[in-house]
Amino acid sequence: MISQEQLAGLARQPVYAADGVKVGDVVHVLLDDTTGKAEWARVHSDSSGPGDVFVPLREAVHVGDRVQVPFAKATIEAAAKVDVQGRQVLSVADEEKLFACFGLRDVREQVNAEQGSGWSQMDRADHIRTGTDGREEYRTRLRLLQDNGA
């Protein structure tokens, strides 16, 4: 897991897949508003790769001068391509697509399922932006790490 102290140093760090192949370099890091932990990295790959991709950081580690993620490069390249349309963060809908690609669950829903609290769904329902016909398409629970050396 990436510590709070390591967050500022992640910008421009190379990202390596579980199979030892370089995926690209960190463009910026997205933090979960609820936990403050690194949730996603936007990674720019070489011209031969898939372009900018989002990679989950939940179980990534920062070792030396690289970020190691527990996914094969093929999995990362096959993940849904997300067009952030000038935004620097993922919408809830974007994040849900990516969770499915990587076989992950939203931390809030995981807590909800484990503890039966119900706060996850209520929290999201309270914050659906008006004018989106009840969809969370443009809302986000993430924020950009500002001190990323960019």
Side-chain angles (χ1 to χ4, degrees):
M1 178 175 280
I2 296 172
S3 71
Q4 293 297 110
E5 295 78 28
Q6 294 172 322
L7 287 177
L10 292 183
R12 296 188 211 81
Q13 291 289 306
V15 176
Y16 284 82
D19 47 10
V21 179
K22 183 180 176 188
V23 176
D25 298 312
V26 174
V27 174
H28 59 254
V29 175
L30 299 174
L31 304 177
D32 184 302
D33 264 346
T34 305
T35 65
K37 294 182 180 175
E39 188 73 24
W40 297 95
R42 186 170 186 172
V43 176
H44 181 74
S45 69
D46 302 330
S47 58
S48 61
D52 281 4
V53 295
F54 286 91
V55 179
L57 293 177
R58 192 176 293 171
E59 298 194 24
V61 291
H62 189 226
V63 181
D65 64 345
R66 68 168 59 187
V67 177
Q68 184 75 43
V69 295
F71 302 98
K73 185 172 182 178
T75 301
I76 295 167
E77 290 178 346
K81 303 304 179 245
V82 177
D83 181 10
V84 292
Q85 301 171 350
R87 297 174 281 131
Q88 294 191 0
V89 296
L90 296 167
S91 69
V92 170
D94 294 335
E95 196 176 16
E96 286 174 354
K97 285 180 201 172
L98 289 169
F99 279 143
C101 293
F102 289 101
L104 299 173
R105 291 175 66 187
D106 184 337
V107 172
R108 294 177 183 202
E109 291 171 9
Q110 209 167 333
V111 169
N112 184 37
E114 292 169 4
Q115 298 177 0
S117 65
W119 65 271
S120 171
Q121 296 302 320
M122 291 186 294
D123 179 53
R124 286 188 172 181
D126 287 344
H127 293 91
I128 294 175
R129 182 182 286 199
T130 57
T132 61
D133 299 325
R135 292 174 296 181
E136 298 178 280
E137 191 172 328
Y138 301 104
R139 197 183 71 71
T140 181
R141 66 179 191 88
L142 302 168
R143 62 185 161 86
L144 182 66
L145 174 64
Q146 295 301 314
D147 185 22
N148 62 5

